[in-house]
Amino acid sequence: MKNKGIIGSIIALAIVLIGVFAYQMGSRQTNATEDKKELKTVGILQFISHPSLDQIKDGVIEGLKQEGYEDGKNIKIEFLNGQGDQSKLNSMSQQLLDKNSDVLVGVATPAAKALANATSDKPIIMSAISDPIGAGLVKDLKNPGGNITGVNNLTPVDQQLDMAKEMFPEAKTVGMIYSSSEENSKSQIERAEKRATKDGLTVKKYAISSSNDIAQITQQACQETDYLYIPQDNTIASAFQTMISESDKAKKPVFVSVDNMVKEGGIATVGQNQFELGVESGKMAADVLSGKAKPASTPVNVIDYGDMIINEEKAKELGITIPENIKEKAEVVKGE
Ligand code: TRP
């Protein structure tokens, strides 16, 4: 009887121990799956490849890192590039949602718009968007209200045209080339036209419908005008060398709207650092991830300043003398 009692207790103890062990294994496993779930996902959608957007995308990743979020460490970054194709942008937006992105980042207007069409509740950070209101992305810059906020790069158009006026005092006609399908370019051209007209210039506008039009339209614009002015246009930026080779043949300067396009053959700009635009958007995405900020109540970050940059080599090539006071103020770069 006594023995049976002891054996009974041993068996009971063993059962309890096995139970505790099994329970601990089980809970360890649930922790492991929870850890995996806790790795938050950032979905980045870029419209097309060109040097500026590539730099902005790198900046977004750097901005996240500066706020403590690193791919593979404590977040997962899903990056997709639509290569300028609207239907790809739509399906990629859906893919990023299917991957359970906690925050979405749209690099350039068409990408941000595709994301906005795909979801009205997941947070979206706009990265370097020229005209968020005109593109229908937000209603109010100070108080976005919905699921979208981010960085509005308001190109310093007036300073650009003032600089162009100082550089080409004899010019009477300016040719503005832009894509008819890009809202970001249209709104910039509207502002540029106003300023140029106020400055006494005649403005001739040339719309392209794809990069296939660039060579022919550039030739025509060079014949009909004294210099060219190019907005932040994704289609032109992705085939800028085609434009420059035509304008070089005609010996006409191209005044651009982005820092790196001066190095790529433009004559000058008052331009914004593209990488920095990305960093600022990355930081905003981090604030949404950490729960510090919600798009609805986070004002759009409007970046409206830029630095004067001139390409001295291009000026020499085209026989343009850069006024001394501009040289003093500007950063001088060499062409690539
Ligand atoms: N602002 C552009 C848009 O809204 C995107 C952009 C940023 C861009 N930097 C650029 C386009 C430089 C051309 C060149 O879509």
Side-chain angles (χ1 to χ4, degrees):
M1 261 327 260
K2 218 181 181 186
N3 271 357
K4 263 194 194 160
I6 290 173
I7 290 171
S9 330
I10 289 175
I11 291 174
L13 190 67
I15 290 173
V16 168
L17 283 178
I18 290 170
V20 168
F21 181 72
Y23 174 78
Q24 274 190 343
M25 285 305 288
S27 71
R28 229 177 261 161
Q29 232 147 20
T30 20
N31 275 347
T33 37
E34 262 167 24
D35 279 353
K36 255 190 211 151
K37 245 191 259 153
E38 268 167 21
L39 209 59
K40 290 196 170 154
T41 301
V42 180
I44 306 177
L45 183 62
Q46 181 175 327
F47 171 44
I48 195 170
S49 294
H50 62 69
S52 304
L53 296 193
D54 294 346
Q55 282 176 26
I56 292 168
K57 184 259 292 170
D58 290 345
V60 170
I61 295 170
E62 171 64 21
L64 282 161
K65 198 168 150 195
Q66 284 182 13
E67 297 298 313
Y69 290 107
E70 239 180 290
D71 186 31
K73 273 196 182 158
N74 53 356
I75 52 164
K76 196 160 184 272
I77 295 181
E78 295 285 351
F79 170 64
L80 294 173
N81 186 327
Q83 299 300 0
D85 181 331
Q86 189 59 50
S87 68
K88 268 194 192 157
L89 288 174
N90 295 339
S91 61
M92 287 174 170
S93 300
Q94 197 50 52
Q95 273 178 49
L96 292 175
L97 284 169
D98 293 344
K99 293 211 154 126
N100 267 334
S101 297
D102 295 281
V103 58
L104 297 156
V105 181
V107 180
T109 302
K113 282 189 79 170
L115 290 171
N117 286 335
T119 178
S120 51
D121 54 10
K122 279 273 167 194
I124 299 174
I125 301 297
M126 309 179 285
S127 197
I129 306 300
S130 298
D131 182 11
I133 294 181
L137 285 158
V138 294
K139 287 204 181 72
D140 183 345
L141 295 176
K142 290 211 173 80
N143 196 6
N147 61 326
I148 309 176
T149 188
V151 172
N152 167 203
N153 61 328
L154 194 63
T155 318
V157 166
D158 290 354
Q159 286 110 294
Q160 287 171 349
L161 283 146
D162 290 351
M163 183 182 179
K165 198 178 170 198
E166 272 190 78
M167 286 185 63
F168 322 123
E170 312 279 297
K172 295 197 168 53
T173 311
V174 50
M176 300 189 177
I177 306 182
Y178 67 101
S179 299
S180 49
S181 60
E182 290 192 39
E183 274 122 346
N184 40 295
S185 306
K186 279 191 269 179
S187 72
Q188 190 183 328
I189 290 292
E190 249 168 55
R191 290 194 289 139
E193 185 179 15
K194 255 190 214 149
R195 185 62 169 209
T197 313
K198 200 172 147 218
D199 285 348
L201 284 168
T202 302
V203 175
K204 286 199 172 174
K205 290 188 287 183
Y206 302 86
I208 56 164
S209 49
S210 82
S211 53
N212 294 336
D213 298 343
I214 290 179
Q216 188 254 322
I217 292 279
T218 305
Q219 285 167 12
Q220 187 191 343
C222 284
Q223 275 168 17
E224 297 174 351
T225 65
D226 297 314
Y227 76 93
L228 304 184
Y229 173 85
I230 307 302
Q232 282 202 6
D233 185 288
N234 293 291
T235 312
I236 295 174
S238 68
F240 190 50
Q241 287 317 309
T242 310
M243 176 171 279
I244 288 300
S245 75
E246 294 303 330
S247 59
D248 277 352
K249 274 187 225 156
K251 291 222 168 283
K252 289 280 160 78
V254 181
F255 199 98
V256 293
S257 298
V258 200
D259 56 354
N260 51 278
M261 285 167 83
V262 177
K263 275 198 215 99
E264 290 167 39
I267 184 82
T269 191
V270 183
Q272 302 171 328
N273 184 309
Q274 303 296 294
F275 185 75
E276 273 311 312
L277 295 172
V279 171
E280 289 309 315
S281 351
K283 286 183 180 168
M284 290 179 90
D287 283 349
V288 169
L289 270 187
S290 69
K292 225 194 267 174
K294 291 218 164 23
S297 51
T298 307
V300 172
N301 182 356
V302 183
I303 298 179
D304 59 0
Y305 50 84
D307 301 314
M308 278 190 175
I309 307 169
I310 40 178
N311 184 336
E312 208 172 24
E313 253 174 34
K314 185 61 73 182
K316 264 194 208 132
E317 235 178 271
L318 301 174
I320 293 165
T321 322
I322 300 164
E324 274 312 314
N325 66 323
I326 284 192
K327 259 197 203 169
E328 278 162 24
K329 287 184 276 186
E331 180 194 339
V332 180
V333 297
K334 289 206 165 76
E336 271 174 352

